[in-house]
Amino acid sequence: MNTKTFRARRLPAHGPLPGWAALLPSRTPTPQLDQAISVDVIIIGAGFAGLAAATRLAQLDPKLSVAVIDADVVGNGASGRNSGFLIDLPHDIASGNFGVDTAAKSRNEIAVARTAIQHYARLAAENGWDKEVFDPSGKYSVAMTDAGAEHLTAYSGKLNALGEPHQLLSAAEIGDVTGTRSFKSGLFTPGAAIVQPAALVRAIADHFQEPIRLFERTPAMSIETSSGGCTVKTPKGEVRAAKVILATNGHAESFGFGSGELLHIFTYASLTEPFDPSALRGHRKWAATPAAPMGTTVRRINGTDGDRILIRSRYTYNPKIEVGAGSIKSASNLHDRKFADRFPDHRDLKMQYRWAGAMALTWNTVPLFGQVEKGIFVACACNGIGGTKSTAAGIATAELIVGHRSQLGEIFKAFDKPQTLPPSPLTGVGARLNLAYREWRAGRE
Ligand SMILES: Cc1cc2nc3c(=O)[nH]c(=O)nc-3n(C[C@H](O)[C@H](O)[C@H](O)COP(=O)(O)OP(=O)(O)OC[C@H]3O[C@@H](n4cnc5c(N)ncnc54)[C@H](O)[C@@H]3O)c2cc1C
């Protein structure tokens, strides 16, 4: 077999530390890899996908030796900088009389998401995580406008058709939860879980023990395949392995995989400074996604130094997989307006942390999954909800590698391949127009 080399053309640049990591004690990363080692499987990327793949490999075959490497520190990537919703129900459920295909698609999406949530529920139970790390609390959807409220009512009908339990809430009822009268209505779904994302990924990474080894601040610079297996080169060492799992999300493309198939989208978050819990009525901990998919996510968290509100809003298309300070500033201005719109009595509360994070989408919202070269497997393209989708992709990849059959594996096997995007100038113009249009449609939501 000829030797093939896949070089990383670009390494991740995650930008300002997410508020979640800033709230935790500062992390002492595991040592960088500084020698040549041999393992059964190397996993590149220690986000939801990579950590889930390592955990599942250990469950299925505790003797497999596994190296997990990440270019940065665990919790600094997208998996430590998201809003922390592990959502079990798809936002878009086809309306009308469900055709067999549409209902089956929704059920598969739910099965994928619930496999991921159960994965974390099991780890939480086994390791005694508290509810600050993983909370199977369910989540709310909230409407700021009459159109949003109508959407929630229609969504409730679709959940009824699927037999999914939920509760529609009046303006007063959702007001009692959130402490603000700004929402027209709400909808509660009990199956979602809410996490402190940086604490969650750290908890998993810190629990690894031989034969799993984690090397932080260890970028994969290249992957070489030959008849003898694969070699991953890092700045100060190398890993020889029979199998490689690329769990680098959009950075699969940096190695040449998924080229012309991945849309690199950033989204942004702000977290307020702490405030006296008595200053805002309602529950001290709740999490709400918007009625419109491109709208604004809001969370209240309770900490020892007071409570805080998280606002997540704005999407941008960034094919170089990085954003500058200007994009974060522009999103920050939007966040301040969104916050004031929802909490007019608290508009003077300042934001303490602002950050952005990368996501990779495919046109037909399928993962970039499976064996792409002899020995190289990809678990990429989070499609914006990697808390569930990337986790499930990691689990499915581990199962594929050891030959373990499951319902999840069957669902992943049946996914279409990612569609090719239009040629690059068209993709850029199309993606930006699409995002602008959908954000405009989301309006106040
Ligand atoms: C602000 C924000 C809010 C979000 N909210 C939610 C939410 O509430 N729920 C939800 O489900 N999703 C949410 N998302 C999306 C979610 O964070 C991602 O879908 C998810 O983190 C993707 O996980 P992953 O493991 O696929 O990729 P990542 O978390 O991106 O992990 C990939 C890892 O690979 C590493 N890497 C890349 N290249 C290399 C290399 N050459 N060598 C070594 N390591 C490399 C990176 O450092 C990174 O740690 C949000 C995202 C953002 C930014």
Side-chain angles (χ1 to χ4, degrees):
M1 178 186 161
N2 290 337
T3 302
K4 281 193 188 171
T5 303
F6 304 91
R7 277 180 223 293
R9 280 182 285 118
R10 179 188 296 133
L11 293 175
H14 297 307
L17 202 65
W20 299 118
L23 295 183
L24 297 172
S26 73
R27 179 170 177 77
T28 307
T30 54
Q32 293 169 274
L33 179 72
D34 60 0
Q35 56 180 309
I37 61 169
S38 294
V39 291
D40 295 313
V41 182
I42 173 166
I43 299 172
I44 306 174
F48 291 135
L51 296 172
T55 306
R56 189 72 182 127
L57 283 174
Q59 288 166 350
L60 292 170
D61 185 351
K63 291 206 189 72
L64 272 185
S65 58
V66 178
V68 183
I69 65 170
D70 198 286
D72 205 308
V73 172
V74 168
N76 288 0
S79 294
R81 55 180 61 225
N82 55 77
S83 316
F85 289 69
L86 304 179
I87 301 173
D88 59 331
L89 297 167
H91 197 284
D92 286 322
I93 298 173
S95 54
N97 294 326
F98 288 112
V100 175
D101 281 0
T102 343
K105 188 167 176 268
S106 295
R107 292 206 184 287
N108 280 350
E109 280 190 55
I110 294 169
V112 165
R114 289 197 173 141
T115 304
I117 295 171
Q118 279 156 15
H119 171 82
Y120 293 119
R122 180 174 163 185
L123 288 177
E126 282 171 3
N127 299 301
W129 295 346
D130 65 28
K131 287 198 173 161
E132 299 314 308
V133 179
F134 173 89
D135 190 351
S137 59
K139 73 157 184 80
Y140 298 89
S141 299
V142 286
M144 288 289 289
T145 62
D146 290 337
E150 275 169 34
H151 177 87
L152 291 187
T153 307
Y155 189 65
S156 163
K158 294 172 191 175
L159 292 179
N160 281 333
L162 279 178
E164 289 294 341
H166 63 282
Q167 191 191 349
L168 267 174
L169 297 137
S170 66
E173 287 168 329
I174 190 68
D176 287 344
V177 175
T178 58
T180 170
R181 295 283 167 222
S182 301
F183 299 119
K184 299 251 178 192
S185 71
L187 185 144
F188 177 73
T189 48
I194 303 302
V195 304
Q196 206 287 30
L200 177 90
V201 291
R202 281 192 193 184
I204 298 168
D206 292 344
H207 194 67
F208 286 155
Q209 52 190 22
E210 289 282 349
I212 303 182
R213 277 180 289 169
L214 170 69
F215 301 95
E216 291 169 82
R217 294 178 304 168
T218 301
M221 308 305 289
S222 66
I223 310 169
E224 246 174 57
T225 59
S226 70
S227 51
C230 303
T231 305
V232 173
K233 296 241 163 82
T234 69
K236 296 182 190 164
E238 64 177 46
V239 185
R240 272 182 233 112
K243 305 235 159 62
V244 177
I245 299 179
L246 204 54
T248 50
N249 207 10
H251 282 284
E253 190 167 350
S254 306
F255 290 92
F257 301 111
S259 293
E261 295 172 348
L262 299 178
L263 273 169
H264 303 289
I265 305 291
F266 274 68
T267 189
Y268 302 78
S270 297
L271 188 65
T272 67
E273 58 191 9
F275 60 86
D276 179 347
S278 66
L280 180 62
R281 292 181 317 106
H283 300 184
R284 284 194 60 196
K285 198 177 174 199
W286 51 268
T289 51
M294 298 288 283
T296 300
T297 303
V298 191
R299 256 183 88 168
R300 177 173 177 174
I301 58 170
N302 56 342
T304 44
D305 59 349
D307 291 4
R308 296 170 189 261
I309 301 281
L310 172 103
I311 298 282
R312 198 248 3 112
S313 201
R314 169 65 48 87
Y315 293 95
T316 57
Y317 170 66
N318 304 89
K320 294 195 172 142
I321 326 186
E322 54 183 72
V323 292
S327 300
I328 296 181
K329 177 87 187 79
S330 158
S332 301
N333 294 338
L334 177 76
H335 291 172
D336 293 348
R337 292 199 300 277
K338 297 285 184 190
F339 177 74
D341 201 16
R342 282 155 182 76
F343 303 96
D345 298 341
H346 300 81
R347 55 173 64 240
D348 293 335
L349 191 62
K350 300 261 175 312
M351 296 291 172
Q352 186 174 1
Y353 302 107
R354 317 266 201 186
W355 67 95
M359 305 184 297
L361 280 62
T362 57
W363 203 251
N364 47 341
T365 64
V366 295
L368 180 64
F369 175 80
Q371 185 160 202
V372 284
E373 280 289 330
K374 190 163 185 321
I376 305 182
F377 296 76
V378 285
C380 297
C382 67
N383 281 294
I385 44 171
T388 49
K389 290 196 168 177
S390 293
T391 301
I395 295 170
T397 306
E399 293 181 350
L400 179 65
I401 281 182
V402 301
H404 176 87
R405 297 194 64 172
S406 69
Q407 183 201 9
L408 186 74
E410 294 306 313
I411 295 173
F412 270 77
K413 207 161 84 185
F415 277 128
D416 291 335
K417 293 284 164 219
Q419 260 171 27
T420 306
L421 301 170
S424 85
L426 291 181
T427 304
V429 173
R432 287 187 179 103
L433 282 176
N434 195 313
L435 290 176
Y437 170 69
R438 289 170 58 146
E439 278 191 343
W440 171 78
R441 275 200 62 188
R444 285 183 65 213
E445 297 299 341

mmCIF file of all heavy atoms in Angstrom, residues 43-63:
data_model
loop_
_atom_site.group_PDB
_atom_site.id
_atom_site.type_symbol
_atom_site.label_atom_id
_atom_site.label_comp_id
_atom_site.label_asym_id
_atom_site.label_seq_id
_atom_site.Cartn_x
_atom_site.Cartn_y
_atom_site.Cartn_z
ATOM 1 N N ILE A 43 -7.339 9.235 18.997
ATOM 2 C CA ILE A 43 -8.483 10.126 18.762
ATOM 3 C C ILE A 43 -7.946 11.551 18.711
ATOM 4 O O ILE A 43 -7.284 12.012 19.657
ATOM 5 C CB ILE A 43 -9.529 9.982 19.893
ATOM 6 C CG1 ILE A 43 -10.050 8.539 19.931
ATOM 7 C CG2 ILE A 43 -10.673 10.969 19.693
ATOM 8 C CD1 ILE A 43 -10.940 8.213 21.118
ATOM 9 N N ILE A 44 -8.217 12.239 17.613
ATOM 10 C CA ILE A 44 -7.765 13.628 17.475
ATOM 11 C C ILE A 44 -8.957 14.527 17.768
ATOM 12 O O ILE A 44 -9.955 14.496 17.039
ATOM 13 C CB ILE A 44 -7.208 13.901 16.061
ATOM 14 C CG1 ILE A 44 -6.117 12.886 15.707
ATOM 15 C CG2 ILE A 44 -6.674 15.331 15.962
ATOM 16 C CD1 ILE A 44 -5.598 12.992 14.276
ATOM 17 N N GLY A 45 -8.871 15.311 18.838
ATOM 18 C CA GLY A 45 -9.975 16.195 19.232
ATOM 19 C C GLY A 45 -10.633 15.705 20.507
ATOM 20 O O GLY A 45 -11.147 14.588 20.552
ATOM 21 N N ALA A 46 -10.595 16.540 21.554
ATOM 22 C CA ALA A 46 -11.180 16.158 22.848
ATOM 23 C C ALA A 46 -12.399 17.019 23.145
ATOM 24 O O ALA A 46 -12.503 17.635 24.204
ATOM 25 C CB ALA A 46 -10.142 16.257 23.958
ATOM 26 N N GLY A 47 -13.314 17.078 22.163
ATOM 27 C CA GLY A 47 -14.622 17.700 22.392
ATOM 28 C C GLY A 47 -15.632 16.591 22.666
ATOM 29 O O GLY A 47 -15.265 15.454 23.001
ATOM 30 N N PHE A 48 -16.920 16.917 22.511
ATOM 31 C CA PHE A 48 -17.964 15.917 22.778
ATOM 32 C C PHE A 48 -17.709 14.620 22.001
ATOM 33 O O PHE A 48 -17.828 13.525 22.543
ATOM 34 C CB PHE A 48 -19.340 16.447 22.360
ATOM 35 C CG PHE A 48 -19.874 17.563 23.212
ATOM 36 C CD1 PHE A 48 -20.451 18.685 22.623
ATOM 37 C CD2 PHE A 48 -19.843 17.491 24.600
ATOM 38 C CE1 PHE A 48 -20.981 19.707 23.399
ATOM 39 C CE2 PHE A 48 -20.369 18.517 25.387
ATOM 40 C CZ PHE A 48 -20.941 19.628 24.772
ATOM 41 N N ALA A 49 -17.382 14.765 20.701
ATOM 42 C CA ALA A 49 -17.247 13.577 19.848
ATOM 43 C C ALA A 49 -16.063 12.725 20.286
ATOM 44 O O ALA A 49 -16.185 11.509 20.480
ATOM 45 C CB ALA A 49 -17.100 13.989 18.384
ATOM 46 N N GLY A 50 -14.899 13.354 20.458
ATOM 47 C CA GLY A 50 -13.687 12.598 20.798
ATOM 48 C C GLY A 50 -13.779 11.959 22.174
ATOM 49 O O GLY A 50 -13.388 10.795 22.366
ATOM 50 N N LEU A 51 -14.315 12.709 23.143
ATOM 51 C CA LEU A 51 -14.412 12.164 24.505
ATOM 52 C C LEU A 51 -15.415 11.011 24.547
ATOM 53 O O LEU A 51 -15.201 10.008 25.245
ATOM 54 C CB LEU A 51 -14.829 13.270 25.480
ATOM 55 C CG LEU A 51 -13.817 14.420 25.638
ATOM 56 C CD1 LEU A 51 -14.421 15.550 26.468
ATOM 57 C CD2 LEU A 51 -12.517 13.924 26.272
ATOM 58 N N ALA A 52 -16.518 11.159 23.791
ATOM 59 C CA ALA A 52 -17.523 10.077 23.772
ATOM 60 C C ALA A 52 -16.940 8.833 23.106
ATOM 61 O O ALA A 52 -17.181 7.701 23.552
ATOM 62 C CB ALA A 52 -18.782 10.533 23.040
ATOM 63 N N ALA A 53 -16.152 9.040 22.054
ATOM 64 C CA ALA A 53 -15.544 7.890 21.363
ATOM 65 C C ALA A 53 -14.602 7.151 22.318
ATOM 66 O O ALA A 53 -14.630 5.913 22.419
ATOM 67 C CB ALA A 53 -14.783 8.363 20.122
ATOM 68 N N ALA A 54 -13.788 7.908 23.060
ATOM 69 C CA ALA A 54 -12.841 7.271 23.991
ATOM 70 C C ALA A 54 -13.589 6.518 25.092
ATOM 71 O O ALA A 54 -13.235 5.384 25.440
ATOM 72 C CB ALA A 54 -11.928 8.334 24.601
ATOM 73 N N THR A 55 -14.627 7.146 25.626
ATOM 74 C CA THR A 55 -15.385 6.525 26.716
ATOM 75 C C THR A 55 -16.047 5.237 26.228
ATOM 76 O O THR A 55 -16.031 4.211 26.917
ATOM 77 C CB THR A 55 -16.467 7.516 27.227
ATOM 78 O OG1 THR A 55 -15.825 8.742 27.558
ATOM 79 C CG2 THR A 55 -17.199 6.969 28.438
ATOM 80 N N ARG A 56 -16.629 5.302 25.035
ATOM 81 C CA ARG A 56 -17.328 4.112 24.503
ATOM 82 C C ARG A 56 -16.330 2.995 24.169
ATOM 83 O O ARG A 56 -16.614 1.816 24.407
ATOM 84 C CB ARG A 56 -18.131 4.514 23.255
ATOM 85 C CG ARG A 56 -19.058 3.431 22.747
ATOM 86 C CD ARG A 56 -20.259 3.236 23.652
ATOM 87 N NE ARG A 56 -21.122 2.166 23.189
ATOM 88 C CZ ARG A 56 -21.519 1.150 23.950
ATOM 89 N NH1 ARG A 56 -21.148 1.067 25.211
ATOM 90 N NH2 ARG A 56 -22.315 0.224 23.469
ATOM 91 N N LEU A 57 -15.161 3.356 23.642
ATOM 92 C CA LEU A 57 -14.143 2.330 23.366
ATOM 93 C C LEU A 57 -13.770 1.610 24.660
ATOM 94 O O LEU A 57 -13.669 0.385 24.703
ATOM 95 C CB LEU A 57 -12.879 2.951 22.744
ATOM 96 C CG LEU A 57 -12.956 3.333 21.264
ATOM 97 C CD1 LEU A 57 -11.690 4.068 20.838
ATOM 98 C CD2 LEU A 57 -13.185 2.104 20.371
ATOM 99 N N ALA A 58 -13.602 2.391 25.728
ATOM 100 C CA ALA A 58 -13.210 1.787 27.020
ATOM 101 C C ALA A 58 -14.318 0.873 27.541
ATOM 102 O O ALA A 58 -14.040 -0.164 28.146
ATOM 103 C CB ALA A 58 -12.900 2.880 28.032
ATOM 104 N N GLN A 59 -15.585 1.261 27.301
ATOM 105 C CA GLN A 59 -16.694 0.411 27.752
ATOM 106 C C GLN A 59 -16.719 -0.899 26.966
ATOM 107 O O GLN A 59 -16.955 -1.975 27.514
ATOM 108 C CB GLN A 59 -18.038 1.123 27.550
ATOM 109 C CG GLN A 59 -18.279 2.267 28.520
ATOM 110 C CD GLN A 59 -19.446 3.164 28.076
ATOM 111 O OE1 GLN A 59 -19.957 3.034 26.963
ATOM 112 N NE2 GLN A 59 -19.839 4.078 28.957
ATOM 113 N N LEU A 60 -16.468 -0.801 25.658
ATOM 114 C CA LEU A 60 -16.622 -1.983 24.793
ATOM 115 C C LEU A 60 -15.418 -2.912 24.866
ATOM 116 O O LEU A 60 -15.556 -4.126 24.729
ATOM 117 C CB LEU A 60 -16.852 -1.540 23.338
ATOM 118 C CG LEU A 60 -18.192 -0.844 23.086
ATOM 119 C CD1 LEU A 60 -18.205 -0.230 21.691
ATOM 120 C CD2 LEU A 60 -19.352 -1.824 23.225
ATOM 121 N N ASP A 61 -14.231 -2.340 25.031
ATOM 122 C CA ASP A 61 -13.025 -3.156 25.090
ATOM 123 C C ASP A 61 -11.997 -2.472 26.009
ATOM 124 O O ASP A 61 -11.142 -1.709 25.545
ATOM 125 C CB ASP A 61 -12.432 -3.335 23.671
ATOM 126 C CG ASP A 61 -11.248 -4.282 23.687
ATOM 127 O OD1 ASP A 61 -10.793 -4.646 24.797
ATOM 128 O OD2 ASP A 61 -10.770 -4.654 22.599
ATOM 129 N N PRO A 62 -12.104 -2.745 27.313
ATOM 130 C CA PRO A 62 -11.249 -2.023 28.269
ATOM 131 C C PRO A 62 -9.759 -2.235 28.042
ATOM 132 O O PRO A 62 -8.939 -1.495 28.605
ATOM 133 C CB PRO A 62 -11.677 -2.611 29.631
ATOM 134 C CG PRO A 62 -12.962 -3.335 29.399
ATOM 135 C CD PRO A 62 -13.009 -3.707 27.950
ATOM 136 N N LYS A 63 -9.405 -3.224 27.201
ATOM 137 C CA LYS A 63 -7.955 -3.463 27.001
ATOM 138 C C LYS A 63 -7.372 -2.595 25.887
ATOM 139 O O LYS A 63 -6.157 -2.510 25.740
ATOM 140 C CB LYS A 63 -7.732 -4.939 26.655
ATOM 141 C CG LYS A 63 -8.018 -5.876 27.817
ATOM 142 C CD LYS A 63 -7.200 -7.162 27.642
ATOM 143 C CE LYS A 63 -7.627 -8.210 28.647
ATOM 144 N NZ LYS A 63 -8.948 -8.794 28.356
#
